[in-house]
Amino acid sequence: MNALAATSRNFKQAAKLLGLDSKLEKSLLIPFREIKVECTIPKDDGTLASFVGFRVQHDNARGPMKGGIRYHHEVDPDEVNALAQLMTWKTAVANIPYGGAKGGIGCSPGELSISELERLTRVFTQKLHDCIGIHTDVPAPDMGTNSQTMAWILDEYSKFHGYSPAVVTGKPVDLGGSLGRDAATGRGVLFATEALLAEYGKSTSDQRFVIQGFGNVGSWAAQLISEAGGKVIAVSDVTGAVKNCNGLDIPKLVEHSMENRGVKGFSGGDALDPKLLLTEDCDVLVPAALGGVIKRENANDIRAKFIIEAANHPTDPEADEILSKKGVLILPDIFANSGGVTVSYFEWVQVLFAVQIGSTLNSLAWFITDLTSRALQQHKNIQGFMWDEEKVNFELKTYMTRGFKDVKEMCKTHNCNLRMGAFTLGVNRVARATVLRGWEA
């Protein structure tokens, strides 16, 4: 089952549990806008190369659309559509005022030079600049992109619309990015894991972890889990897999991975067939790579007691049913990996807290009314007032802990598992916002 069919199936199950009107259900499922562009750039050797880029803007009932841009050779319209829809529910589960979007370019970033990636990013931005914006659609990094990519988008967008640092999140700190953003998704995974384990009287330090994927999310999750006392016994990435039953030395593995561009060859553990990683004996399995890796063919062989979905859509619905019957508890992606978009939200709005006059509320009211609403909005994220990292992490834990409680409440209300608890929570919030705004008008 492809990602779009699986995501739509989960949505429809949630809509049924909520008893949504059929017309409203259809309205929520159909994307607001789908964009496809061709990006042709000169390569360093003088030849021309063309790449296809996509941006799907799914829903804006609760606020500007929000979602990453990924550079990967398997990017296609169905995948981007599914991920945009997931972002709509994810931002609602996190209870932040965003909708959902996603974008990508079908390319292999490892085969492109830095200058080629910059040219590709700028051309993509030129094609999209009228469709994104501070109050419209706010991109962020995803697989194959990073803070530098966001800096290029910011610069290119600003050529058309004036200096607009809030048009993207996940920027370098020197350009208005937030401290703690790089680690945010991985840290959110830790907080989500702690909340789930506490529900069953367990702690991170009692558990053995296996992590599939050692990119930004997987490596940060491994580091933070290890620092919290968890034993990470196996990890994998595109180069291979490594295992140590006594626990891997994660700081040394991170250093090795950076120096060798992968975990392969790490001397602190034994080489392992990456295909066998998901079925390793462990307490907690953390898929933190591509979607669709847990499926009907391997679900029966998974031995973990808990699965924390750090990746987007790692588990097919058919595998979901098999694992549920086995008693495996799955913390779904639309909650478990929402730490990144939550800290992106913090980045986007931090400047709103910069207006600290230090006197009476009347003074603050006078100051605000002295500005036009438009002028105030345009100054979001441009005053350079930043939270320290401790505050960012504290606020993230608050949001993740509250989010878990909200999901559990929906599980009790609808007598459903965690995935449907998260989906009913997100879909219900978006449906309510849609109705309140007058969707039938």
Side-chain angles (χ1 to χ4, degrees), residues 335-349:
F335 168 67
N337 67 28
S338 63
V341 72
T342 302
V343 175
S344 279
Y345 167 64
F346 296 163
E347 176 182 334
W348 187 66
V349 300

Side-chain angles (χ1 to χ4, degrees), residues 308-370:
I308 312 295
E309 294 186 335
N312 288 314
H313 177 60
T315 311
D316 278 348
E318 293 168 328
D320 237 348
E321 293 177 7
I322 294 169
L323 292 165
S324 181
K325 289 176 182 176
K326 289 178 62 176
V328 178
L329 288 164
I330 303 174
L331 200 57
D333 50 358
I334 61 171
F335 168 67
N337 67 28
S338 63
V341 72
T342 302
V343 175
S344 279
Y345 167 64
F346 296 163
E347 176 182 334
W348 187 66
V349 300
Q350 273 175 40
V351 75
L352 296 181
F353 298 94
V355 185
Q356 295 184 354
I357 296 178
S359 58
T360 65
L361 289 175
N362 286 336
S363 299
L364 180 58
W366 173 86
F367 178 77
I368 292 174
T369 53
D370 193 54

Side-chain angles (χ1 to χ4, degrees), residues 285-328:
L285 174 63
V286 184
L290 289 170
V293 295
I294 300 175
K295 42 200 171 186
R296 179 178 57 191
E297 291 79 7
N298 61 7
N300 275 315
D301 298 323
I302 287 175
R303 291 185 276 177
K305 303 175 187 68
F306 301 93
I307 295 176
I308 312 295
E309 294 186 335
N312 288 314
H313 177 60
T315 311
D316 278 348
E318 293 168 328
D320 237 348
E321 293 177 7
I322 294 169
L323 292 165
S324 181
K325 289 176 182 176
K326 289 178 62 176
V328 178

Side-chain angles (χ1 to χ4, degrees), residues 223-266:
Q223 291 176 73
L224 295 165
I225 287 168
S226 181
E227 289 172 10
K231 186 184 291 186
V232 181
I233 61 170
V235 302
S236 70
D237 64 10
V238 293
T239 67
V242 61
K243 174 184 175 182
N244 186 330
C245 292
N246 295 317
L248 293 160
D249 187 326
I250 298 300
K252 287 184 178 178
L253 180 58
V254 170
E255 185 179 342
H256 171 90
S257 180
M258 291 178 67
E259 290 176 355
N260 298 276
R261 304 187 72 175
V263 303
K264 185 178 181 180
F266 180 59

Side-chain angles (χ1 to χ4, degrees), residues 98-174:
Y98 281 143
K102 205 73 174 186
I105 300 177
C107 68
S108 298
E111 297 176 5
L112 298 174
S113 68
I114 295 296
S115 59
E116 289 168 342
L117 285 170
E118 179 176 355
R119 287 194 287 273
L120 179 59
T121 302
R122 290 184 182 277
V123 169
F124 188 47
T125 307
Q126 290 165 17
K127 300 289 181 78
L128 285 181
H129 75 90
D130 280 336
C131 299
I132 62 174
I134 296 169
H135 310 299
T136 308
D137 180 2
V138 184
D142 200 278
M143 186 181 300
T145 58
N146 54 28
S147 61
Q148 178 61 73
T149 316
M150 297 304 106
W152 292 330
I153 294 175
L154 159 61
D155 183 67
E156 196 64 28
Y157 179 88
S158 295
K159 292 176 184 177
F160 296 93
H161 301 276
Y163 185 55
S164 308
V167 73
V168 290
T169 58
K171 304 178 292 293
V173 173
D174 288 343

